[in-house]
Amino acid sequence: MSTHQKPIDPELIQLEEVHKDYVCGRRRVQALRGVSLDVRQGSFVVIEGLSGSGKSTLLNLIGCLDYPTRGRVIIAGKDTSAMNDRALSRFRAERLGFIFQDFNLIPMLNAYENVEYPLRLKGEAKAQLRRRTEAALEAVGLIDMADQRPAELSGGQCQRVAIARALVSQPDLIVADEPTANLDSHTGERIVELMRSMVERFGATFIIATHDPMIACHATHRYRLRDGRMVFE
Ligand SMILES: Nc1ncnc2c1ncn2[C@@H]1O[C@H](COP(=O)(O)OP(=O)(O)O)[C@@H](O)[C@H]1O
Ligand SMILES: [Mg+2]
């Protein structure tokens, strides 16, 4: 993993009046009701809000896992609604990294293989695979645990593996949904500090949903959702 900064693409994320409705049978939930947001490269953006306020919905749109009902989601200059499913999944694999509250590691694979996985999906050359995977494990302080499977690691170590996996392909953007929700507060704090340090070291950009106030104090930009709308404090 190189420490060189990526060329500045000032607006990495642009949301314009984004709405998202979920329809289940006759019921319609307006999960997002006109959210606009600009995120610059190198930001550590924190989205706060109570459970049900729309944080995961927002992250799913930014992470190109779903389409908005209305409005525009533009990531690295690309309007996601102009991409079909196939193009969107390629875009995700090439440009985005994900961190989840329950880590989402593959249980049969050891730490090394979990981190290597996204590079394999991209069809990266063998020599690159090893170099990058080791660098990512090194960056999260887990090179000595490369052979351990998730069941043999603590929650904090699992989340470090997940961070290494998110960073290994040098994505433009890392999307983290409640990354500390399943960690004790001390471990959570170290995970946040680790993610924060990735901004300086690798020019990474993070967008993090949380209701952990401890994360928010590390934010470069802080927003709050309430009932699907941004509230400004
Ligand atoms: N797949 C879904 N189908 C129907 N309703 C959903 C779905 N996902 C989320 N919702 C609803 O949308 C609202 C926002 O949910 P969510 O984005 O998960 O909020 P948060 O992550 O802040 O807890 C909630 O009312 C939730 O019940
Ligand atoms: Mg959520």
Side-chain angles (χ1 to χ4, degrees):
M1 205 176 298
S2 71
T3 50
H4 101 118
Q5 305 274 317
K6 293 179 178 158
I8 295 295
D9 181 359
E11 301 298 354
L12 185 55
I13 307 173
Q14 288 173 273
L15 301 190
E16 296 171 4
E17 279 295 307
V18 168
H19 292 253
K20 179 68 186 179
D21 298 349
Y22 295 108
V23 181
C24 335
R26 284 201 194 144
R27 221 166 65 91
R28 196 165 67 108
V29 178
Q30 295 183 286
L32 294 177
R33 308 170 189 229
V35 172
S36 298
L37 176 71
D38 288 335
V39 174
R40 309 195 124 213
Q41 196 197 311
S43 307
F44 196 78
V45 177
V46 170
I47 311 285
E48 296 174 274
L50 297 175
S51 184
S53 58
K55 302 185 297 300
S56 294
T57 301
L58 183 67
L59 259 50
N60 288 345
L61 297 180
I62 291 171
C64 303
L65 295 160
D66 203 354
Y67 296 102
T69 310
R70 225 155 14 104
R72 299 212 304 163
V73 176
I74 301 162
I75 312 291
K78 294 233 179 194
D79 189 336
T80 62
S81 58
M83 288 189 265
N84 61 20
D85 279 345
R86 205 188 151 87
L88 214 54
S89 41
R90 182 152 21 98
F91 186 75
R92 271 200 308 272
E94 284 172 3
R95 314 290 295 264
L96 306 181
F98 294 89
I99 300 171
F100 303 94
Q101 72 177 69
D102 46 10
F103 321 132
N104 280 21
L105 300 176
I106 301 172
M108 293 83 73
L109 301 184
N110 66 28
Y112 182 93
E113 293 159 341
N114 266 287
V115 174
E116 183 191 44
Y117 192 72
L119 298 180
R120 282 191 178 273
L121 288 185
K122 280 174 79 173
E124 197 110 352
K126 269 238 166 80
Q128 285 268 14
L129 278 181
R130 187 161 196 89
R131 196 176 56 72
R132 287 189 157 195
T133 305
E134 286 180 353
L137 280 166
E138 191 82 60
V140 299
L142 278 184
I143 195 75
D144 296 334
M145 307 223 122
D147 297 337
Q148 315 277 315
R149 290 188 184 184
E152 298 162 330
L153 298 170
S154 69
Q157 289 167 338
C158 283
Q159 200 58 303
R160 283 172 187 270
V161 174
I163 292 169
R165 181 184 57 184
L167 280 163
V168 74
S169 46
Q170 295 181 310
D172 296 288
L173 174 68
I174 295 162
V175 176
D177 198 353
E178 313 244 11
T180 61
N182 287 327
L183 303 174
D184 65 75
S185 59
H186 176 70
T187 308
E189 181 142 26
R190 297 193 49 199
I191 289 296
V192 176
E193 283 162 3
L194 178 63
M195 291 193 295
R196 190 68 176 84
S197 73
M198 300 302 175
V199 176
E200 276 84 36
R201 288 176 68 189
F202 305 119
T205 306
F206 282 85
I207 183 154
I208 304 172
T210 188
H211 39 221
D212 179 350
M214 192 273 303
I215 298 190
C217 63
H218 292 272
T220 58
H221 301 78
R222 219 172 143 171
Y223 302 94
R224 180 174 295 278
L225 277 173
R226 185 174 297 147
D227 300 329
R229 290 196 179 88
M230 286 291 193
V231 291
F232 296 93
E233 294 153 335

